[in-house]
Amino acid sequence: MTEPRRPDTLPRDRRDLTGPFDVIGDVHGCRGELETLLGELGYIIERDERGRAVGAAHPDARTVVFVGDLVDRGPDTPGVLRLAMGMVAARTALCVTGNHEYKLVRALDGRNVRVAHGLELSLAQLATEDAEFRAAAHTFLRELPSHYLLDRGKLVVAHAGLPESLHGSTSGRARSFALYGSPTGDFDEHGLPIRYDWAQDYRGAATVLYGHTPVTKLTWVNNTLCLDTGAVFGGTLSALRYPELTTISVPAEQIWSERAGITPGS
């Protein structure tokens, strides 16, 4: 079987795009929350004849940027993908890959992956879709870039964040960091991997927006901001308006997945 094309072989330098942007944290299959957040941000959702969200556009020509992890754990991965794919095709959104997208692509390629951490839900949900949609989603996920440079290099979006030295890099190290961060090899009391806190050492001029590791509060750290506020775990789904640098969050409709160390709604 042919090895899937790596996201890091695709263009990520879009410094020509200056926004304004609405950068959205990890969705994880929470379609209802995503539709609510887009509405709060002022987007008008387009629906097909079955009432499914297939796109969204803003009257002020704003662009959504998804930080990755659209899939797994939540109730409607196909619905999230259908909406995000429509927006990207219409150029009203951009999206970077997350570690969950990468693993889902490998599973769809028939590779030997551990079916856990919500992957089993995505596979089951996608199995109910027609072959045309599954193929389109597979291609979409495979071709997502590892990170984006935007607004003349003043904004970087990567799923797990990215140190300044790796901005725009096509190296395997940059791709791995963008997807997973930098694990220290140690684990916390819940058995979750402890990652190097790169944001504490970040001194770059570019604003870096990311997700990957759920937080209970949106907190700027050295010109970086994690936007994963644990919607799928009963927290909130969050976005940052750029360049305004204002945030907006909507509450989860319910707890869709349990995770140790995450306190819903806190």
Side-chain angles (χ1 to χ4, degrees):
M1 185 174 294
T2 302
E3 180 70 22
R5 183 167 57 174
R6 286 186 168 189
D8 57 342
T9 64
L10 294 165
R12 70 194 46 73
D13 188 343
R14 295 306 312 268
R15 284 178 283 189
D16 57 303
L17 300 179
T18 58
F21 301 109
D22 296 304
V23 186
I24 296 179
D26 302 36
V27 180
H28 277 304
C30 296
R31 178 195 48 78
E33 289 87 343
L34 176 57
E35 290 190 27
T36 299
L37 180 59
L38 288 171
E40 291 291 325
L41 289 166
Y43 288 78
I44 299 170
I45 294 177
E46 176 189 354
R47 300 187 184 276
D48 65 11
E49 68 282 355
R50 295 170 57 182
R52 301 177 302 184
V54 294
H58 199 284
D60 297 328
R62 300 181 70 88
T63 301
V64 163
V65 187
F66 294 105
V67 305
D69 279 7
L70 297 173
V71 306
D72 294 351
R73 293 192 168 121
D76 193 1
T77 281
V80 170
L81 289 176
R82 185 174 289 107
L83 176 51
M85 289 162 59
M87 293 179 69
V88 171
R91 299 185 179 180
T92 60
L94 300 168
C95 184
V96 300
T97 192
N99 57 301
H100 282 261
E101 278 83 20
Y102 177 63
K103 191 174 182 181
L104 177 55
V105 167
R106 288 175 57 82
L108 293 174
D109 282 336
R111 296 187 174 273
N112 185 22
V113 299
R114 181 170 174 243
V115 180
H117 304 298
L119 176 59
E120 69 283 359
L121 294 176
S122 288
L123 293 174
Q125 292 163 11
L126 286 169
T128 68
E129 299 290 330
D130 61 47
E132 182 180 4
F133 177 80
R134 291 199 304 271
H138 193 175
T139 299
F140 171 78
L141 294 170
R142 176 181 288 166
E143 295 186 346
L144 293 176
S146 60
H147 66 285
Y148 271 118
L149 273 67
L150 302 165
D151 191 20
R152 299 180 292 274
K154 294 189 291 185
L155 176 63
V156 174
V157 179
H159 177 60
L162 205 63
E164 185 178 29
S165 62
L166 299 179
H167 292 179
S169 172
T170 61
S171 69
R173 179 167 177 258
R175 176 176 174 277
S176 178
F177 201 111
L179 263 68
Y180 302 103
S182 182
T184 63
D186 295 324
F187 298 85
D188 64 17
E189 67 272 21
H190 304 291
L192 302 174
I194 297 174
R195 297 178 177 87
Y196 160 61
D197 191 358
W198 65 275
Q200 293 292 337
D201 296 327
Y202 183 74
R203 298 296 183 271
T207 297
V208 181
L209 302 177
Y210 62 105
H212 189 51
T213 302
V215 295
T216 56
K217 185 170 71 170
L218 294 170
T219 305
W220 285 96
V221 179
N222 297 327
N223 206 22
T224 78
L225 183 66
C226 178
L227 287 166
D228 182 1
T229 46
V232 78
F233 303 116
T236 61
L237 184 62
S238 296
L240 176 85
R241 291 185 176 105
Y242 177 96
E244 299 89 342
L245 302 185
T246 57
T247 60
I248 184 169
S249 301
V250 298
E253 294 178 356
Q254 67 177 70
I255 299 173
W256 299 107
S257 180
E258 302 282 353
R259 178 171 176 176
I262 299 295
T263 303
S266 61

